[in-house]
């Protein structure tokens, strides 16, 4: 059985995080999985560069992963390969360009303050005790779905205020398929889909049905956007869908598939990161206090519900960015990412036969002592402070930080993610003092599409009320 049961039993990516330090390697760690099928983990900059940049065309999404998730989310950018991926990515780049993302800050901040307003109302509800407990994952999920809906599709799901509305419930069903995610994880690392194909169908039927509903809604949004674009007297919208439509070179089918992918990636990953951010701010109250002090000094108007910061004002908050960088370094939402060799190839001189599963492990790389020093496993925002450290954390290689991957398959939404996360964390910390609901809270990682702390309940103290 190889290391199969350990890989299933422990948090996603944990065995590889240990092996990086325990197994002597030149950037490649080979290990047996289910029925001793060989797997290859790539863990050092030179080897990572070969897989993600210089020989990126040698590797593709494993067919069983593509088939399983593709049945729910369609053939979006994440699942495309080769020339079609290159062309589609080029057409979509303007929607995710740094300049355009800066135009979306009012959307991010508006929903972030909407989340804070809802949390204040929740804790003030007379039907609850004075120390109302807030389940962070639930509220983070509601906020990030609203943001990807408004900034991505131009559609306000209104999930923060009304999570029970039908549109919101349907979108959340496909954006948080934890049981399906776990099964697909087993399939992705255990071997060919045919071994568990009938179970895959059983588990995904409900999600496929929900995805059809969401796809139908996306087609309606595309048609509505096209209609408004033809009306010369209307100002252009800035959501991702509208900007992508302006390219004129993406078919409706492709665009809807991309939207489905963005819903998953833009919702689940930032929801996970916000949950981790709140966890670490509770664990280290002094860091929470220092961050609040920076925000009070540089954004004194932030508690004014009618005020919205510019992109430049959020970008000029070094400790906020240090905290957020450290969160996504130490806890990447997706700890391991599979690829498959599409041809016979090699990695730093090791022969890799066609069909070999390759594992890119952001969590293991991001916490490698060789790349980050002896305190690599510690939460230390200070590593991102000081000259030349704001974007490197002091690491010598850009390939030491793998959360968003690199090269032509790197995350197209990286700028979007940073902007959204910093706005959410800033708005939360300005208005709410947060601590664990249980003083002896023991963190257990919950695996799904993303990894996050399980059952993170907190108590809030409203500031400036």
């Amino acid at each position: 059985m190889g290391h199969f049961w350990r890989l299933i039993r422990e948090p996603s990516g944990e065995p590889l995080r240990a092996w990086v330090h325990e197994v002597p390697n030149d950037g490649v760690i080979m290990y047996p999985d289910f029925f001793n099928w060989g797997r290859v983990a790539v863990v050092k900059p030179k080897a990572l560069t070969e897989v993600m940049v210089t020989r990126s065309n040698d590797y593709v999404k494993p067919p069983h992963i593509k088939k399983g998730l593709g049945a729910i989310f369609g053939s979006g950018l994440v699942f495309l390969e080769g020339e079609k991926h290159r062309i589609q990515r080029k057409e979509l780049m303007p929607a995710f360009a740094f300049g355009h993302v800066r135009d979306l800050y009012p959307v991010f901040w508006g929903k972030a303050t909407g989340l804070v307003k809802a949390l204040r109302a929740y804790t003030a509800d007379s039907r609850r005790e004075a120390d109302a407990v807030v389940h962070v994952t639930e509220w983070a999920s509601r906020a990030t779905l609203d943001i990807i809906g408004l900034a991505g599709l131009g559609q306000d799901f209104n999930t923060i205020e009304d999570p029970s509305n039908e549109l919101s419930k349907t979108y959340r069903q496909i954006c948080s398929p934890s049981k399906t995610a776990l099964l697909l994880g087993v399939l992705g690392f255990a071997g060919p889909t045919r071994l568990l194909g009938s179970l895959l169908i059983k588990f995904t039927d409900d999600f496929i049905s929900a995805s059809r509903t969401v796809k139908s809604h996306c087609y309606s949004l595309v048609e509505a956007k096209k209609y408004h674009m033809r009306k010369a007297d209307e100002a252009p919208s800035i959501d991702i869908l509208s900007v992508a439509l302006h390219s004129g070179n993406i078919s409706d089918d492709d665009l809807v598939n991309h939207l489905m992918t963005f819903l998953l990636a833009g919702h689940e990953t930032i929801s996970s990161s916000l949950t981790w951010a709140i966890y670490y701010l509770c664990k280290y109250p002094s860091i929470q206090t220092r961050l609040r002090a920076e925000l009070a000094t540089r954004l004194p108007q932030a508690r004014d519900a009618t005020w919205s910061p510019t992109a430049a004002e959020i970008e000029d908050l070094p400790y906020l960015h240090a905290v957020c960088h450290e969160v996504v370094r130490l806890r990447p939402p997706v700890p391991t990412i599979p690829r498959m060799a599409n041809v016979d190839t090699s990695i730093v001189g090791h022969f890799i036969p066609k069909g070999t599963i390759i594992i890119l492990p952001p969590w293991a790389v991001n916490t490698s002592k060789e790349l980050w020093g002896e305190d690599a496993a510690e939460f230390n925002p200070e590593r991102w402070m000081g000259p030349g450290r704001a974007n490197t954390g002091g690491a010598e290689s850009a390939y030491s930080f793998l959360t968003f991957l690199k090269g032509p398959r790197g995350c197209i939404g990286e700028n979007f993610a940073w902007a959204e996360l910093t706005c959410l964390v800033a708005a939360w910390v300005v208005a709410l003092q947060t601590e664990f609901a249980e003083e002896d809270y023991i963190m257990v990682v919950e695996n799904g599409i993303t990894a996050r702390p399980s059952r993170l309940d907190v108590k809030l103290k409203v500031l400036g009320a």
Side-chain angles (χ1 to χ4, degrees), residues 73 145 170-177 263-264 267-268 449:
F73 297 101
L145 183 57
T170 304
Y171 272 87
R172 292 177 82 190
Q173 184 176 4
I174 69 159
C175 286
S176 302
L263 278 169
L264 174 67
H267 168 256
E268 269 290 298
I449 289 287

Side-chain angles (χ1 to χ4, degrees), residues 306-322:
T306 65
W307 177 82
S308 180
T310 64
E313 286 172 316
I314 293 293
E315 291 162 2
D316 190 31
L317 295 165
Y319 199 63
L320 171 65
H321 286 271

Side-chain angles (χ1 to χ4, degrees), residues 382-396:
E382 200 65 33
R383 75 175 80 245
W384 301 91
M385 302 291 286
R389 288 178 166 264
N391 295 313
T392 69
E396 293 184 2

